Amino acid sequence: AEYMGQRVRITLTSTDVRSIEKVCATLIKESQEKNIKVKGPVRMPVKRLRITTRKTPCGEGSKTWDRFQMRIYKRVVDINATNDQALQITKVSVVPGVQVEVTVSDA
């Protein structure tokens, strides 16, 4: 029987889909190369932060509105690995704009 290690949950958050998917792919590729069991990426619901504001600063003129939106994407990847393995995997993929959060719980 092989050593299981802890259950490590890697949470990725970003405002850019392409970069978060890229990081996900590299994470999974790295873990598969090291023969680590991977679950995911689980795509969490997108958070849409909306702000609606008047275009004019003074309040004069026709009532036109600007709608701004920031989308926050979240992916969750579960792996069974030891601490140092998890560190190796998460170190590899650093893309600006992607937050990587690692939580460890014993399997």
Side-chain angles (χ1 to χ4, degrees):
E2 63 182 83
Y3 173 63
M4 288 291 284
Q6 292 109 328
R7 202 169 82 239
V8 181
R9 171 162 283 183
I10 302 168
T11 310
L12 305 167
T13 47
S14 174
T15 54
D16 183 33
V17 181
R18 270 190 229 98
S19 54
I20 200 170
E21 287 292 341
K22 190 174 152 194
V23 173
C24 264
T26 51
L27 268 178
I28 287 161
K29 202 178 90 192
E30 283 295 314
S31 352
Q32 281 171 348
E33 280 172 9
K34 292 179 173 59
N35 288 332
I36 298 170
K37 226 179 198 176
V38 184
K39 274 187 186 167
V42 178
R43 291 166 177 84
M44 303 311 278
V46 176
K47 277 188 193 144
R48 288 186 176 85
L49 308 181
R50 289 194 178 94
I51 287 179
T52 308
T53 180
R54 281 287 302 275
K55 276 186 183 176
T56 170
C58 61
E60 228 177 86
S62 57
K63 315 243 176 315
T64 52
W65 294 83
D66 259 333
R67 290 190 218 73
F68 295 104
Q69 191 180 82
M70 185 161 105
R71 294 179 183 170
I72 296 172
Y73 302 94
K74 195 171 177 182
R75 303 282 184 267
V76 175
V77 180
D78 283 334
I79 60 174
N80 282 338
T82 58
N83 267 347
D84 47 324
Q85 280 177 328
L87 278 172
Q88 278 176 354
I89 291 167
T90 49
K91 254 190 202 129
V92 169
S93 49
V94 177
V95 175
V98 178
Q99 274 83 43
V100 179
E101 209 176 296
V102 180
T103 51
V104 179
S105 63
D106 293 306

